[in-house]
Amino acid sequence: MNNLKVTLIQHDIAWENTDTNLLKLDKLFNEVEKDVDLVVLPEMFHSGFTMHPETVAEEMDGAVLKWMKAKAQEKQICLVGSVVFCEESKYYNRLFIYYPDGNYLYYDKRHLFSMGGEGQHYQQGNKRLIFEYKGWKICPLVCYDLRFPVWSSNQNEYDLLIYVANWPTPRRKVWQILLQARAIENQSYVIGVNRIGKDISAYYSGDSVVLDAKGNTLVECAPEVEDIKTIVINKDDLEVFRKKFPVLNDRDDFILQH
């Protein structure tokens, strides 16, 4: 399939309140168009960017992952979002991908936000994930990963790069510029989904967006309001551009040392 219909859900997140956030998302999902393929939620969509993982952490039999699985099956979508997760008494900022058939994959955030103390509470991921869905190869990353281009370097491995985030308003210009840079340098579609509202220490403007491989904005959410945007992206358009301007053929070859 060359078309992929994607939906961004940009929402406010009630601080460390899973029940409230899932109820809100249930209502927001009622506004999602039919026949969507992929839905993307922000980072830690059920809790906010908390440094108290013990208060909200999920396990595989917890409410959040049951909700993600059920929603993916109900809507027949691929659902993406990051969750505060506990495994063997350790905490992770773990991005889950749920398929319509109930299967799932996950990626643990590689770059932990040291200025916010994230590395003191969460375990660092050490493996990038590229998954396939409806003929598309997709690389999902989390927030602070955006600042580190080596980690997202496209060795002709993916067509779509996704960032889920809690990216504060004072650095919104950085968010916008780096998303464009990642799209251009990797000749890839890019989706960035950020939250709005405020938590105990920061404000968030959203600025969720879909970009093409030239860094052009295809669709964007209104800043500072809850918003849902849907767009169809086309892989043929991407492949035509890559053949016309084959930047990736001149990329540097390297091996990441974890």
Side-chain angles (χ1 to χ4, degrees):
M1 177 179 287
N2 292 324
N3 286 338
L4 193 70
K5 190 173 184 179
V6 301
T7 293
L8 323 182
I9 298 183
Q10 173 179 286
H11 68 103
D12 196 357
I13 302 175
W15 182 246
E16 296 181 350
N17 193 325
T18 292
D19 291 343
T20 296
N21 289 314
L22 294 186
L23 284 172
K24 171 180 282 190
L25 283 166
D26 278 333
K27 294 178 181 179
L28 291 174
F29 261 91
N30 290 332
E31 302 176 29
V32 173
E33 295 180 16
K34 294 182 179 180
D35 301 321
V36 166
D37 299 307
L38 175 72
V39 176
V40 185
L41 304 175
E43 178 184 22
M44 294 186 180
F45 65 86
H46 67 103
S47 65
F49 188 60
T50 177
M51 295 303 107
H52 308 114
E54 67 281 356
T55 66
V56 296
E58 288 288 312
E59 296 184 357
M60 289 309 303
D61 61 351
V64 175
L65 296 181
K66 286 182 177 178
W67 178 88
M68 288 188 76
K69 180 179 179 179
K71 197 61 66 177
Q73 291 177 324
E74 173 194 347
K75 299 293 186 180
Q76 286 297 290
I77 57 171
C78 180
L79 180 58
V80 177
S82 100
V83 174
V84 180
F85 191 77
C86 181
E87 183 176 68
E88 297 181 350
S89 300
K90 295 180 180 179
Y91 299 107
Y92 298 84
N93 186 345
R94 181 165 288 182
L95 182 147
F96 280 91
I97 300 101
Y98 267 92
Y99 290 98
D101 63 4
N103 288 317
Y104 69 91
L105 298 169
Y106 68 84
Y107 160 77
D108 291 328
K109 186 178 181 181
R110 167 69 173 178
H111 299 93
L112 304 179
F113 187 55
S114 58
M115 284 78 83
E118 189 176 10
Q120 299 173 29
H121 302 279
Y122 296 90
Q123 301 297 306
Q124 183 183 49
N126 59 16
K127 185 179 180 180
R128 198 172 70 170
L129 171 70
I130 296 173
F131 70 96
E132 294 192 28
Y133 187 62
K134 294 195 171 182
W136 288 69
K137 294 181 179 179
I138 303 170
C139 178
L141 299 175
V142 181
C143 202
Y144 195 43
D145 286 333
L146 178 60
R147 286 184 176 267
F148 303 95
V150 171
W151 193 239
S152 63
S153 180
N154 190 4
Q155 306 294 302
N156 272 330
E157 299 162 289
Y158 63 79
D159 313 300
L160 171 62
L161 183 59
I162 296 174
Y163 289 96
V164 303
N166 277 206
W167 196 284
T169 300
R171 295 187 288 278
R172 65 184 301 200
K173 193 67 175 178
V174 176
W175 164 258
Q176 294 164 336
I177 291 172
L178 290 182
L179 287 172
Q180 288 183 304
R182 298 295 89 85
I184 293 166
E185 71 197 10
N186 292 304
Q187 285 197 316
S188 170
Y189 286 104
V190 168
I191 293 174
V193 177
N194 190 26
R195 66 162 293 180
I196 63 158
K198 64 178 181 178
D199 57 24
I200 59 172
S201 62
Y203 288 84
Y204 304 88
S205 57
D207 301 302
S208 301
V209 68
V210 179
L211 305 170
D212 69 13
K214 299 178 184 179
N216 297 316
T217 299
L218 301 180
V219 71
E220 58 187 338
C221 293
E224 300 180 354
V225 297
E226 290 188 327
D227 200 6
I228 297 172
K229 286 291 189 290
T230 298
I231 188 172
V232 176
I233 55 177
N234 182 272
K235 197 164 66 169
D236 288 341
D237 293 342
L238 176 64
E239 291 174 351
V240 166
F241 175 54
R242 284 176 171 177
K243 289 178 182 178
K244 182 178 180 181
F245 194 66
V247 170
L248 295 182
N249 291 344
D250 298 323
R251 69 192 184 279
D252 296 309
D253 292 324
F254 59 86
I255 298 174
L256 286 174
Q257 300 295 325
H258 302 313

